[in-house]
Amino acid sequence: LFSMPVIGWLMRIFHGIPVYRAKEADTSKNTETFEKARAVLAGGGWLALFPEGVSHNEHQLLRLKTGAARIALGGPAGITILPVGLTYEAKEIFRSAVALSIGSPIQVDAFRVHGGEHPEDVTALTEALENALRKEVMEAEDHEIWQGFRSVASWLALPNEAPALTEARALQFSQAWKTLPEAQQESLAAEA
């Protein structure tokens, strides 16, 4: 993104920090990325991270990368992670509507069992973050079921209901769906 003319300029204006993914660049440069991120945290600032590591159109949360946990655990004491789920109406359309669902804060110090970026601490914090995000992200096995949650939520909407309430209802349907046994999910999907 930083090499793109307009987007790169915006990233710098908003104090973006470049991340180097294995498929695109030399990941050893991420040492500098982590240092910059930790300096922001040490200065009382905040970071917006996308711990899946990619932007995607999947209907499920991808396995999280460990970078967010490593940055937090290597940073100063007192860091709080606020899990936020994003659901785009139509991600491929510029300025599409997006719903945010904000989860319960995660206190990083509770995961500092072994000190620093110990692999067990990183794994535990990454798993906690993933579990927290799963509560805030609408997930389904495929696009039809995912869209079904949104459609039913829309049908149940009251006149002039705020879109955020409709999206919250769709998220509740997604969460309820996850609790159903697989055979029951398949039966309901087949009936639809």
Side-chain angles (χ1 to χ4, degrees):
L1 294 175
F2 284 82
S3 64
M4 298 172 75
V6 175
I7 294 175
W9 176 78
L10 285 171
M11 295 297 284
R12 287 184 281 286
I13 290 292
F14 290 109
H15 305 285
I17 301 171
V19 175
Y20 303 94
R21 298 186 290 193
K23 66 180 183 179
E24 303 166 335
D26 177 9
T27 58
S28 67
K29 293 180 180 181
N30 280 331
T31 301
E32 182 180 330
T33 298
F34 282 33
E35 288 172 4
K36 286 180 181 179
R38 290 175 182 141
V40 169
L41 295 172
W46 58 271
L47 302 169
L49 302 174
F50 295 88
E52 290 174 284
V54 294
S55 178
H56 63 84
N57 292 324
E58 299 298 323
H59 300 97
Q60 293 186 352
L61 188 69
L62 299 180
R63 184 179 174 106
L64 300 191
K65 307 293 184 193
T66 60
R70 291 173 44 218
I71 289 168
L73 288 165
I79 294 174
T80 300
I81 296 176
L82 187 62
V84 177
L86 300 175
T87 302
Y88 289 91
E89 183 174 45
K91 182 177 164 248
E92 65 281 355
I93 298 173
F94 181 66
R95 296 187 63 154
S96 166
V98 62
L100 284 94
S101 179
I102 301 172
S104 298
I106 298 170
Q107 303 302 322
V108 174
D109 290 346
F111 295 87
R112 296 179 195 269
V113 177
H114 300 93
E117 295 177 52
H118 191 279
E120 289 180 37
D121 296 347
V122 170
T123 298
L125 181 53
T126 300
E127 287 174 358
L129 179 55
E130 184 172 322
N131 291 334
L133 285 172
R134 286 202 186 283
K135 294 177 184 174
E136 307 308 323
V137 175
M138 193 168 65
E139 295 185 288
E141 295 77 33
D142 59 42
H143 180 73
E144 289 177 355
I145 293 173
W146 185 87
Q147 191 58 47
F149 298 145
R150 299 185 82 228
S151 296
V152 173
S154 296
W155 299 336
L156 297 173
L158 298 172
N160 300 316
E161 180 175 87
L165 292 176
T166 306
E167 289 299 326
R169 187 179 301 110
L171 178 61
Q172 288 175 330
F173 291 151
S174 168
Q175 296 299 332
W177 181 263
K178 292 177 195 177
T179 67
L180 294 175
E182 190 174 324
Q184 196 170 2
Q185 287 180 359
E186 291 171 3
S187 174
L188 288 170
E191 290 177 23

